[in-house]
Amino acid sequence: MRFATLPEWLAWLEHHHPRAIELGLERVGAVARRMALGRPAARVISVAGTNGKGSCVAAMDALLRAQGCRVGCYTSPHLLRYNERVVIDGETVSDASLCEAFAAVDAARDDISLTYFEFGTLAALWLFERAGLDVALLEVGLGGRLDAVNIVDADVSVVTSIDLDHQDWLGADRDSIGREKAGIFRRDCPAVYGDADPAQGLLDAAAERGCQLLCREQVFSCARDAAGTTWSWWGRDGAGQALRWDGLALPGVSVNSVATAIQAVFSAGFTVTPEQVAALAELSLPGRFQREDCAGVEIIFDVAHNPAAARELATRLAALPPAGRQAALFAIMADKDLPGVVQPLQPHISAWFLADLPQARALPAHDTAAALNQQGVHMISVSKNIRQAWRRVLSLLVPGDRLLVYGSFFTVAEALQCLARDRQRSATDER
């Protein structure tokens, strides 16, 4: 084994390949063949999309495990620990298991160089194949057609949504991006499309590939009631029979993601009951509208980092009871649409606390501040890191106020660590 610990493996993987992102199936496919990887589970569901992938996977996992299935989930990126990416039967895999899997990939690849994501994908598939799974849920990392996850032929393919993100890799418009994401579709297999506004590129690609396309608003859909306290789902079961459920308890994650997950589970040949869906009211996902309390200040952590996610975040924020003041702790990557991520939240935020991130791809906080000034935002504080920004904003907020932390997985991860340290310090002081 090249390394004995998971941190050593991950540090090496970050610099092993000359490019952080290099799409294509040739390298990862060749190593998979050398490893003699078979099916990761009896049934496989692959999930692509601009937003909502993690929530959709979490909902499917809960629905499938509620009926006794042994499920493996491969998702990315992680928030606090790499182990979050590989979950088997509801439990993150151990450091030792990941090290063993990385060693298996390393031994098979020989002279083939793999990206961080490709290496991790092969390791997850290797672990899943040995776990005796009923279902593997595989989240695409970037796009679909050329993503490492696409070396596996899925029984059901899901595209949660399509919006502008990663245009340098996927295309400049929704139709181009949709065509790339449709690359996970397989002939004669169900493909569930959860976007209410269809991208023509995806529809065209689905027709070319000969899959069984099930579109939201055509085959299945969802809606909140007038009061916004319950919701309805309608769609088809595995035999194609129409179903409708009303008065469902609102889930703890996106209603649209849950609606798509229900249809995908049915399309994979499983049964879903209204009681199982009702249990999703308790479902939560770290960093996805995660609500916490810090000395009476409500803190909402959300990894929204593109315009569509920001609009959804603004809608959910507006539905909450009023707060005294609402501030934002914000940092974003340089390749993101800064105006598109800020504008939807701008009417809800009275002060912006910006911070530098250590990642090379991050937009410097002073550049972010200049851009916000151009948009008419003037209540701005700039800090050299998330910890400093965290201390500044919480020193100014009082019980009844609200803090929104968003802009990047990295932003949310560092702020969550700040909260954990504060709570640990408070607990120590009380003792």
Side-chain angles (χ1 to χ4, degrees), residues 8 30 35 42 63 78 81 97 132 174 263 318-319 348 388 410:
E8 288 176 305
M35 297 174 70
L63 292 171
H78 60 277
R81 299 175 63 233
S97 294
R174 291 183 72 245
Q263 186 58 64
H348 306 282
Q388 184 183 77
F410 299 115

Side-chain angles (χ1 to χ4, degrees), residues 92-381:
T92 56
V93 298
S94 66
D95 284 13
S97 294
L98 284 168
C99 288
E100 185 182 8
F102 285 150
V105 177
D106 196 29
R109 70 178 183 84
D110 192 21
D111 60 338
I112 298 177
S113 178
L114 298 169
T115 67
Y116 182 99
F117 183 77
E118 290 169 342
F119 220 103
T121 299
L122 290 170
L125 296 176
W126 188 85
L127 288 167
F128 285 171
E129 188 177 350
R130 283 152 181 75
L133 300 178
D134 297 305
V135 187
L137 305 176
L138 307 179
E139 180 185 332
V140 167
L142 178 61
R145 180 175 64 93
L146 297 176
D147 186 84
V149 164
N150 204 31
I151 63 171
V152 180
D153 291 325
D155 300 289
V156 176
S157 302
V158 178
V159 173
T160 55
S161 64
I162 295 173
D163 215 289
L164 298 180
D165 203 0
H166 301 294
Q167 291 98 310
D168 289 347
W169 295 98
L170 305 180
D173 53 53
R174 291 183 72 245
D175 286 346
S176 300
I177 295 171
R179 181 171 285 278
E180 286 296 311
K181 295 186 185 299
I184 67 172
F185 294 169
R186 295 297 189 267
R187 182 168 296 278
D188 298 325
C189 292
V192 181
Y193 182 26
D195 203 322
D197 179 18
Q200 190 61 45
L202 181 141
L203 301 179
D204 293 342
E208 294 164 7
R209 289 177 172 271
C211 64
Q212 305 166 14
L213 187 61
L214 293 83
C215 289
R216 182 176 154 203
E217 305 307 329
Q218 296 179 21
V219 175
F220 72 100
S221 192
C222 61
R224 294 175 184 253
D225 70 351
T229 56
T230 63
W231 69 292
S232 302
W233 179 88
W234 58 97
R236 297 179 188 170
D237 64 15
Q241 297 298 309
L243 293 174
R244 182 183 179 99
W245 300 326
D246 295 312
L248 298 169
L250 290 172
V253 296
S254 164
V255 168
N256 294 337
S257 293
V258 172
T260 304
I262 295 169
Q263 186 58 64
V265 171
F266 271 126
S267 298
F270 297 95
T271 299
V272 180
T273 67
E275 290 74 24
Q276 291 167 350
V277 176
L280 297 181
E282 304 302 318
L283 183 64
S284 63
L285 201 57
R288 279 74 163 184
F289 210 74
Q290 178 181 346
R291 299 172 68 184
E292 302 287 348
D293 178 85
C294 184
V297 175
E298 182 183 24
I299 306 177
I300 298 175
F301 299 89
D302 198 287
V303 296
H305 56 271
N306 57 52
R311 292 192 296 270
E312 172 69 14
L313 175 56
T315 298
R316 297 188 71 175
L317 192 65
L320 294 179
R325 290 178 296 175
Q326 292 191 144
L329 195 166
F330 180 79
I332 195 169
M333 297 294 105
D335 61 344
K336 299 302 178 183
D337 179 357
L338 176 61
V341 175
V342 168
Q343 286 171 358
L345 278 305
Q346 196 170 331
H348 306 282
I349 303 300
S350 59
W352 294 76
F353 291 76
L354 312 179
D356 284 321
L357 291 170
Q359 287 72 26
R361 292 193 302 115
L363 184 66
H366 282 287
D367 292 350
T368 305
L372 292 186
N373 275 323
Q374 291 180 349
Q375 292 182 222
V377 178
H378 301 296
M379 295 293 291
I380 297 174
S381 169

Side-chain angles (χ1 to χ4, degrees), residues 1-16 82 95 98-99 102 116 119:
M1 188 179 291
R2 185 184 295 271
F3 301 108
T5 69
L6 183 58
E8 288 176 305
W9 273 109
L10 296 176
W12 179 73
L13 286 176
E14 287 178 354
H15 305 288
H16 162 64
Y82 185 92
D95 284 13
L98 284 168
C99 288
F102 285 150
Y116 182 99
F119 220 103

Side-chain angles (χ1 to χ4, degrees), residues 58-104:
M60 288 191 292
D61 177 49
L63 292 171
L64 290 163
R65 289 198 293 119
Q67 48 196 289
C69 292
R70 184 169 170 80
V71 183
C73 299
Y74 175 56
T75 60
S76 64
H78 60 277
L79 269 179
L80 302 178
R81 299 175 63 233
Y82 185 92
N83 312 58
E84 300 166 20
R85 297 182 179 223
V86 187
V87 175
I88 296 175
D89 212 19
E91 298 292 332
T92 56
V93 298
S94 66
D95 284 13
S97 294
L98 284 168
C99 288
E100 185 182 8
F102 285 150

